[in-house]
Structure formats: structure tokens, C-alpha cells
């Protein structure tokens, strides 16, 4: 099992930036992919970005492409989400997730390929 803990959420004005961090612990050697997902109030969870634990094959959803960047630090078992030019439409709970053993990173629209989840961090963007 892998435990994940997000940090870095908060409230910003439109056009601002935030950097989310996710630290993994436990059987991190088994992680193959890490990702960020978000959930709007009353909506289903959606994929934001994923990356291989080797740092390759990053995927960014079209809705945030050009504004968000995902990166990882294998030595720290961590993944980050740099969010720039935030808009009110980005207001959501953001969750970190990890996939184990299966190295098939890339697009995941709803996180169904991920079994390990953090508790989330809230991002609020005001206009």
C-alpha cells in the first residue's frame, strides 16, 4: 500500500498561481504512475495530469494544457502540479493518486486506473 498526502492548496485570485505537492510513503517502490485529479462540486472526478515515476510520458488534460505542469521527484517519491493563470473554473478539490506495478501512464479521465489516493487539497480561485 501507498499513502499519499497533498499540500499547497489555497485561495488565489484569477491569474494567480499555486504549486501542489504530493508526498508518497509506504511501498513507494511499487509505484509506476502518479497523477492529479480534481473534482468539482456535484461533478465526477476528472483527470488533470499524470506522469510516470521515471519522469517520462507526462500527460496534461486539454482543459489545463499550457497553464498546468506536472513533474515528479523519484528520490522524494513526490509529484507536483504547477498551476499558472488560474481561473475560477479551476476551483475544485485536487487529489493525488498513484498507480502500482502497471506501467501504463497517460490519459485517465476519471482516475479509474488508480487505486491509491490522497485526501485532497482544496483550490479556490476568485474572480
Amino acid at each position: 500500500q501507498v499513502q499519499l498526502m497533498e499540500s499547497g492548496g489555497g485561495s488565489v485570485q484569477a491569474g494567480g498561481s499555486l504549486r501542489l505537492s504530493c508526498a508518497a510513503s509506504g511501498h513507494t517502490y511499487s509505484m509506476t504512475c502518479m497523477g492529479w485529479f480534481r473534482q468539482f462540486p456535484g461533478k465526477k472526478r476528472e483527470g488533470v495530469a499524470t506522469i510516470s515515476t521515471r519522469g517520462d510520458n507526462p500527460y496534461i488534460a486539454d482543459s489545463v494544457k499550457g497553464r498546468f505542469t506536472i513533474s515528479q521527484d523519484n528520490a522524494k517519491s513526490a509529484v507536483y502540479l504547477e498551476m499558472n493563470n488560474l481561473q475560477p473554473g479551476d476551483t475544485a478539490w485536487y487529489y493525488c493518486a498513484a498507480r502500482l506495478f502497471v506501467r501504463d501512464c497517460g490519459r485517465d479521465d476519471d482516475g479509474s486506473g488508480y487505486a491509491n489516493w490522497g485526501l485532497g487539497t482544496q483550490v479556490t480561485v476568485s474572480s
Side-chain angles (χ1 to χ4, degrees), residues 52-106:
S52 160
T53 52
R54 294 185 295 204
D56 56 3
N57 197 28
Y59 166 78
I60 303 290
D62 287 343
S63 58
V64 300
K65 194 169 291 183
R67 299 188 297 122
F68 291 13
T69 303
I70 189 170
S71 61
Q72 58 80 237
D73 186 333
N74 207 30
K76 296 182 179 179
S77 298
V79 65
Y80 309 97
L81 186 68
E82 188 76 35
M83 306 186 294
N84 297 314
N85 191 22
L86 283 160
Q87 299 300 314
D90 295 314
T91 295
W93 276 87
Y94 285 73
Y95 298 89
C96 173
R99 171 177 283 181
L100 309 184
F101 302 115
V102 177
R103 191 167 294 283
D104 183 20
C105 310

